[in-house]
Amino acid sequence: MMEQAKDRRVVRTKAVIRKALTELIDEKGFEALTVKDITTRAEINRGTFYLHYRDKYDLLEQSEQELIKGLIGILSTIDLFDPTDLDMEQSFPYIVKVIEYMGEHADFLKTILGPKGDPSFHSLLKAMMSEHLFEKNVVPFIKKENVLVPTQYLVAYIASAHFGMIQEWLMKGRKESPQEIASIMFKLSARGPLYAAGVIKEKPTDCESDKS
């Protein structure tokens, strides 16, 4: 019981420190802030900070890695199914879960992906996607041997497109629901931007062709 209470205190303390980090990055940028700024904003002493982090760089790295760990946890729960069976009007359920998770961490993500954040975070996301999609194969219907383009370009395209959309959603105040954003993202991924832009029209089905 005492151990559980201690764990909860640690979680609360880390959440307060991360909130202070997020606010200060947004206000003055990461390079300009100090550990003293963080402890003052979080209303903790420096000893408490150093119980959990070596310095502000360690705090940033741990915060980013914890967020990525959560994304990996969602990806690793994907079951075997044929994505071609999904209706285009439905949302790929795991995209919804990812977006909901991003929404739960909206303040930190908005800041870290923003102009005062960490430019290297995009590279971390791409590395995570490459490792878990193609090396650890946590998404079973994606096979490296079936990919038609070099995997590094596929990962770069997916990461830039998807996280760019999520960044836009976060910056605009999350006006759409996670389900709406997931539906848009899935349609773009499944049929491509030219279809979404109305340049390429949907091909008629066999039945429709027979009628013409």
Side-chain angles (χ1 to χ4, degrees):
M1 194 73 171
M2 290 180 62
E3 192 65 32
Q4 290 179 343
K6 181 181 177 182
D7 290 343
R8 286 195 295 271
R9 284 198 301 273
V10 169
V11 170
R12 284 196 298 269
T13 299
K14 286 189 169 185
V16 168
I17 293 172
R18 185 180 297 178
K19 183 174 184 290
L21 172 70
T22 302
E23 292 173 354
L24 288 164
I25 291 176
D26 195 45
E27 290 171 15
K28 59 199 303 186
F30 179 74
E31 292 303 327
L33 65 87
T34 64
V35 169
K36 183 178 180 182
D37 292 330
I38 296 168
T39 56
T40 299
R41 180 65 59 91
E43 298 183 341
I44 60 171
N45 59 53
R46 290 170 70 90
T48 300
F49 178 92
Y50 288 118
L51 277 175
H52 305 292
Y53 308 105
R54 293 189 304 274
D55 50 34
K56 69 175 187 176
Y57 299 98
D58 186 42
L59 166 59
L60 180 64
E61 182 180 356
Q62 285 196 41
S63 299
E64 291 175 343
Q65 290 297 333
E66 286 171 14
L67 191 142
I68 287 174
K69 184 178 178 180
L71 288 174
I72 292 169
I74 295 170
L75 288 175
S76 65
T77 64
I78 295 179
D79 299 319
L80 281 168
F81 76 100
D82 182 358
T84 61
D85 288 339
L86 285 177
D87 189 314
M88 285 294 127
E89 299 307 316
Q90 295 176 337
S91 297
F92 183 16
Y94 294 96
I95 298 179
V96 175
K97 288 186 179 181
V98 167
I99 295 171
E100 287 174 342
Y101 177 78
M102 295 291 202
E104 290 167 9
H105 300 273
D107 290 339
F108 179 72
L109 269 169
K110 268 170 52 179
T111 299
I112 215 67
L113 291 170
K116 296 181 182 179
D118 179 12
S120 68
F121 188 59
H122 290 270
S123 297
L124 288 174
L125 290 171
K126 285 194 287 187
M128 177 274 290
M129 290 185 67
S130 181
E131 178 183 2
H132 288 81
L133 289 180
F134 297 113
E135 304 306 325
K136 295 188 176 179
N137 197 35
V138 297
V139 182
F141 55 82
I142 295 179
K143 301 294 183 184
K144 191 172 184 178
E145 61 270 20
N146 295 336
V147 174
L148 303 179
V149 298
T151 56
Q152 69 268 28
Y153 292 111
L154 178 61
V155 169
Y157 178 83
I158 294 172
S160 298
H162 288 195
F163 290 112
M165 279 190 61
I166 289 172
Q167 183 178 5
E168 180 72 9
W169 178 62
L170 294 172
M171 296 299 180
K172 297 297 184 183
R174 294 180 285 162
K175 294 176 183 177
E176 297 87 357
S177 69
Q179 289 76 16
E180 288 173 316
I181 292 297
S183 178
I184 295 169
M185 191 177 291
F186 184 65
K187 288 174 184 176
L188 281 165
S189 298
R191 291 182 173 172
L194 291 180
Y195 171 81
V199 176
I200 297 176
K201 303 300 182 181
E202 186 173 14
K203 292 180 180 179
T205 62
D206 292 340
C207 291
E208 291 171 336
S209 298
D210 292 341
K211 292 177 182 177
S212 59

